[in-house]
Amino acid sequence: MAQPSSLDERALEGDSLAREVARRRTFAIISHPDAGKTTLTEKLLLYAGAIELAGAVRGRKTGRHATSDFMEMEQQRGISISSAALEFEMHGHHVTLLDTPGHQDFSEDTYRTLLAVDSVVMVLDAAKGIEAQTLKLFEVCRTRRLPVLTFINKLDQPSRDPFELMDEIERVLGVSAAPMNWPLGDGIDFRGVYDLEARALMLYERQRGGVRTEPVAVTDPADPLVGEMVGERRQRELIEAVAIISGAGTRYDEAAYRAERLTPVFFGSALNDFGVEPFLNALLSLAPSPSPRLTETGDLVEPTDPDLSGFVFKIQANMNPRHRDRVAFFRVCSGRLTKDMAVQHERLGTTIRLARVYRFFGRDRETVPEAYAGDVVGLVNPGRLAIGDTLYAGTPVRFPPIPQFPAERFAALRPGDVRHKRFDEAINQLAEEGLLQVFMPQSGFRHPVVGVVGALQFDVIAARLKAEYGIECTVDQLPYVAARWPVSTKREAAALALPLSGVLAVKDRRDRDVVLFASDWELRYCAERNPDVTFRELSD
Ligand SMILES: Nc1nc2c(ncn2[C@@H]2O[C@H](COP(=O)(O)OP(=O)(O)OP(=O)(O)O)[C@@H](O)[C@H]2O)c(=O)[nH]1
Ligand SMILES: [Mg+2]
């Protein structure tokens, strides 16, 4: 694209950049497994008009699967394994939504995704409140300074007292919780929610074949209409609750939300489409547009800065059987990205051309002519892009590296047939995605040893090797719990003194020495016996 020549043109260009940035909302949905992230995602897409029919997490009856659970194993098991990017337009906003997996074995993928967003939706199961994995992910949001909106889900099932849930959010997460609506009953007794600001009842009525929801404006909770619609007992409870909330409760405060000191809380039921539409509207109006990003040197890159910059936070191969390729997911942090533009590859110190730029919708993709700060685009550029790479045009920048989680489980992979080249290629591609680390034993086994963070990842590896590469593979789990890269502090490295058992000497993909340890005991033993060697947790 030609550079704007005159001052006027530059000002116009700046205006349009500012407009594009202001209308963008980029967020991730997080929670403990099974709270309903994928279901909520699907319903948000439905309201946004981005899909016509909601798929189910376990779509056996209808044959329709959730858009964000596109991997075969996700559909079979009804869990999310890998984050999915979904982009759509709504009410003049350009929304990028990232549905993340809740299971801790896949949390590295979730952590990376949290680097690419500007805010977060936290989903809680109304019967369970704050669960372990939600707490962990919330802590990450806090360190990343991400504002959090809360959706308390599954009110159609027996739920905990809403005050107790609010109290738990405040106590366990250490933030204020500001209710935006209030539930009337729960489980089979669930009658809907009262919108505290709009003073409207949203009724939840079970009907054959579905649920009817209708906002009904009322003057306040004591309005006789309320009693008519939900019964006297529920009305009394609501009057009491609203009195407590307006007396001692936390009110929504934009500055506190943006500063991660407060989370606005909404109640609903994603599965029954209840409370999803008002939540989506609130999301668009409350969630922040893309914020400035810190570079590795501590400078801030403004989203409206005219020079393009951004980083790769995820790589995934073979997302769609029709396109067997490797996609690097790139978060734009500033400027305007246009198709075919030439950008600097910071790590390689070379120029690359962005010839294939896509916008994603689950597994589906379309070519994008341009993208702005906040957007997540898929770049197809096999082998040249790695997780954490910065691309820029104009002023050089480098975004902070994306830390890799240390592997805690190890297994030898034995392919059924002997197409070694194909097998090596497959393993290398999965390693590029950060799904596994590959090691070659120095002696003993002939097969590669892979390291992962959680055991479920072994199932994913076997399933993907079969589905995507046609390789049947046996996974033999090995009794090691840690990998360390020995680095000698002396110039002439002596041979390592290793115990006779409980360790395995291997090489990594870059042919560096690595030792696998069966327990802390062997690790301590080695550290004591090799005082001139530090055992580093990660290679880079
Ligand atoms: N009763 C009820 N069930 C729900 C509701 N929302 C989701 N579910 C069910 O809860 C289960 C888990 O939902 P998912 O959307 O897959 O949960 P998730 O948070 O995406 O789970 P992971 O991605 O595996 O972490 C599914 O069986 C859903 O049908 C709800 O509002 N009410
Ligand atoms: Mg899910």
Side-chain angles (χ1 to χ4, degrees), residues 32 37 88 126 134 310 349 380 459:
H32 197 80
K37 298 174 291 297
F88 56 89
T134 308
V380 178
D459 296 3

Side-chain angles (χ1 to χ4, degrees), residues 5 12 18 51 66 98 105 160 231 237 244 350 359 382 486 492 497 519:
S5 50
L12 272 180
I51 53 172
L98 293 144
D105 285 9
R160 284 170 54 190
E237 285 170 7
I244 296 175
T350 54
R359 166 169 302 151
E492 291 289 305
S519 76

Side-chain angles (χ1 to χ4, degrees), residues 402-459:
I402 297 182
Q404 198 177 13
F405 285 21
E408 288 175 15
R409 290 174 186 266
F410 299 85
L413 294 189
R414 272 189 297 124
D417 56 32
V418 282
R419 287 179 303 156
H420 282 296
K421 192 158 170 276
R422 177 112 182 102
F423 178 62
D424 289 346
E425 187 185 294
I427 294 296
N428 277 329
Q429 289 190 3
L430 297 183
E432 255 178 29
E433 289 185 17
L435 177 63
L436 51 85
Q437 293 176 3
V438 202
F439 304 105
M440 278 317 290
Q442 308 282 71
S443 57
F445 323 97
R446 278 177 304 114
H447 302 297
V449 169
V450 297
V452 296
V453 179
L456 263 182
Q457 286 176 304
F458 289 134
D459 296 3

Side-chain angles (χ1 to χ4, degrees), residues 306-495:
D307 286 341
L308 173 80
S309 71
F311 60 90
V312 173
F313 66 94
K314 175 182 171 76
I315 291 193
Q316 190 154 1
N318 313 318
M319 290 175 60
N320 188 322
R322 283 188 291 128
H323 313 276
R324 289 250 171 246
D325 53 15
R326 279 172 281 168
V327 176
F329 285 88
F330 178 75
R331 150 86 197 209
V332 182
C333 297
S334 67
R336 184 198 309 270
L337 183 152
T338 52
K339 191 171 149 16
D340 286 327
M341 83 188 278
V343 296
Q344 297 306 308
H345 189 308
E346 192 275 335
R347 176 174 57 88
L348 299 180
T350 54
T351 305
I352 61 170
R353 201 167 64 83
L354 302 182
R356 293 161 74 194
V357 184
Y358 300 101
R359 166 169 302 151
F360 274 82
F361 195 77
R363 70 153 49 154
D364 297 323
R365 56 171 81 176
E366 61 182 32
T367 310
V368 269
E370 54 183 22
Y372 299 89
D375 290 354
V376 168
V377 294
L379 306 174
V380 178
N381 212 323
R384 303 198 74 186
L385 295 171
I387 291 169
D389 280 352
T390 297
L391 302 178
Y392 66 90
T395 323
V397 342
R398 176 159 72 203
F399 292 104
I402 297 182
Q404 198 177 13
F405 285 21
E408 288 175 15
R409 290 174 186 266
F410 299 85
L413 294 189
R414 272 189 297 124
D417 56 32
V418 282
R419 287 179 303 156
H420 282 296
K421 192 158 170 276
R422 177 112 182 102
F423 178 62
D424 289 346
E425 187 185 294
I427 294 296
N428 277 329
Q429 289 190 3
L430 297 183
E432 255 178 29
E433 289 185 17
L435 177 63
L436 51 85
Q437 293 176 3
V438 202
F439 304 105
M440 278 317 290
Q442 308 282 71
S443 57
F445 323 97
R446 278 177 304 114
H447 302 297
V449 169
V450 297
V452 296
V453 179
L456 263 182
Q457 286 176 304
F458 289 134
D459 296 3
V460 177
I461 293 168
R464 289 191 56 188
L465 283 175
K466 182 156 184 271
E468 297 168 23
Y469 301 91
I471 299 170
E472 295 276 355
C473 180
T474 317
V475 177
D476 295 323
Q477 295 207 33
L478 301 171
Y480 303 105
V481 297
R484 293 289 186 272
W485 280 253
V487 180
S488 176
T489 46
K490 289 213 171 138
R491 194 163 312 156
E492 291 289 305

Side-chain angles (χ1 to χ4, degrees), residues 6 48-49 62 67 73 139-140 161 166 199 206 275 286 320 375 388 417 423 445 450 474 477 479 482 497 524 532:
S6 71
T62 58
T67 317
M73 192 175 146
E139 294 298 344
V140 179
D161 177 69
M166 304 300 283
R199 295 191 181 178
R206 261 172 235 268
L286 306 183
N320 188 322
D375 290 354
D417 56 32
F423 178 62
F445 323 97
V450 297
T474 317
Q477 295 207 33
R524 274 201 306 274
D532 297 332

Side-chain angles (χ1 to χ4, degrees), residues 121-417:
V121 166
M122 173 172 77
V123 182
L124 303 182
D125 181 327
K128 297 183 175 154
I130 309 280
E131 296 175 86
Q133 196 59 17
T134 308
L135 175 59
K136 273 199 203 157
L137 293 170
F138 183 85
E139 294 298 344
V140 179
C141 295
R142 201 198 304 268
T143 55
R144 304 258 155 89
R145 319 219 56 187
L146 295 168
V148 176
L149 285 168
T150 302
F151 186 81
I152 300 189
N153 190 28
K154 307 197 187 183
L155 263 290
D156 60 309
Q157 292 197 332
S159 307
R160 284 170 54 190
D161 177 69
F163 280 112
E164 200 184 297
L165 288 166
M166 304 300 283
D167 183 56
E168 185 168 282
I169 295 175
E170 302 205 327
R171 238 177 340 99
V172 179
L173 303 183
V175 286
S176 308
M180 307 300 275
N181 59 27
W182 199 254
L184 296 129
D186 63 283
I188 48 164
D189 242 2
F190 181 53
R191 300 304 315 278
V193 294
Y194 176 71
D195 183 328
L196 288 155
E197 201 189 80
R199 295 191 181 178
L201 272 185
M202 291 268 303
L203 292 180
Y204 174 86
E205 287 178 11
R206 261 172 235 268
Q207 288 194 325
R208 208 173 295 165
V211 171
R212 195 162 65 97
T213 64
E214 244 172 52
V216 180
V218 292
T219 50
D220 61 42
D223 191 324
L225 244 182
V226 177
E228 271 171 41
M229 284 182 295
V230 303
E232 272 181 29
R233 187 166 65 89
R234 290 262 164 262
Q235 180 173 28
R236 267 203 311 280
E237 285 170 7
L238 180 65
I239 293 172
E240 232 174 79
V242 172
I244 296 175
I245 293 164
S246 37
T250 307
R251 298 253 170 92
Y252 175 68
D253 171 341
E254 180 175 282
Y257 160 62
R258 294 285 171 92
E260 314 92 42
R261 284 188 310 218
L262 173 147
T263 180
V265 179
F266 297 79
F267 291 85
S269 165
L271 186 64
N272 295 297
D273 266 356
F274 188 81
V276 175
E277 195 181 10
F279 182 66
L280 178 56
N281 291 333
L283 188 62
L284 297 182
S285 65
L286 306 183
S289 56
S291 40
R293 293 259 155 183
L294 264 182
T295 67
E296 208 186 6
T297 48
D299 298 319
L300 277 180
V301 174
E302 292 293 333
T304 50
D305 187 329
D307 286 341
L308 173 80
S309 71
F311 60 90
V312 173
F313 66 94
K314 175 182 171 76
I315 291 193
Q316 190 154 1
N318 313 318
M319 290 175 60
N320 188 322
R322 283 188 291 128
H323 313 276
R324 289 250 171 246
D325 53 15
R326 279 172 281 168
V327 176
F329 285 88
F330 178 75
R331 150 86 197 209
V332 182
C333 297
S334 67
R336 184 198 309 270
L337 183 152
T338 52
K339 191 171 149 16
D340 286 327
M341 83 188 278
V343 296
Q344 297 306 308
H345 189 308
E346 192 275 335
R347 176 174 57 88
L348 299 180
T350 54
T351 305
I352 61 170
R353 201 167 64 83
L354 302 182
R356 293 161 74 194
V357 184
Y358 300 101
R359 166 169 302 151
F360 274 82
F361 195 77
R363 70 153 49 154
D364 297 323
R365 56 171 81 176
E366 61 182 32
T367 310
V368 269
E370 54 183 22
Y372 299 89
D375 290 354
V376 168
V377 294
L379 306 174
V380 178
N381 212 323
R384 303 198 74 186
L385 295 171
I387 291 169
D389 280 352
T390 297
L391 302 178
Y392 66 90
T395 323
V397 342
R398 176 159 72 203
F399 292 104
I402 297 182
Q404 198 177 13
F405 285 21
E408 288 175 15
R409 290 174 186 266
F410 299 85
L413 294 189
R414 272 189 297 124
D417 56 32

Side-chain angles (χ1 to χ4, degrees), residues 38 69 80 99-100:
T38 300
D69 279 352
S80 303
D99 179 24
T100 68

Side-chain angles (χ1 to χ4, degrees), residues 59-96:
R60 285 199 200 96
K61 257 190 248 156
T62 58
R64 258 195 66 79
H65 294 288
T67 317
S68 54
D69 279 352
F70 53 80
M71 260 196 226
E72 198 175 304
M73 192 175 146
E74 292 182 315
Q75 296 171 355
Q76 282 163 358
R77 300 205 183 183
I79 58 168
S80 303
I81 290 170
S82 174
S83 297
L86 304 136
E87 297 216 21
F88 56 89
E89 294 275 331
M90 173 151 202
H91 298 335
H93 291 291
H94 184 93
V95 183
T96 303

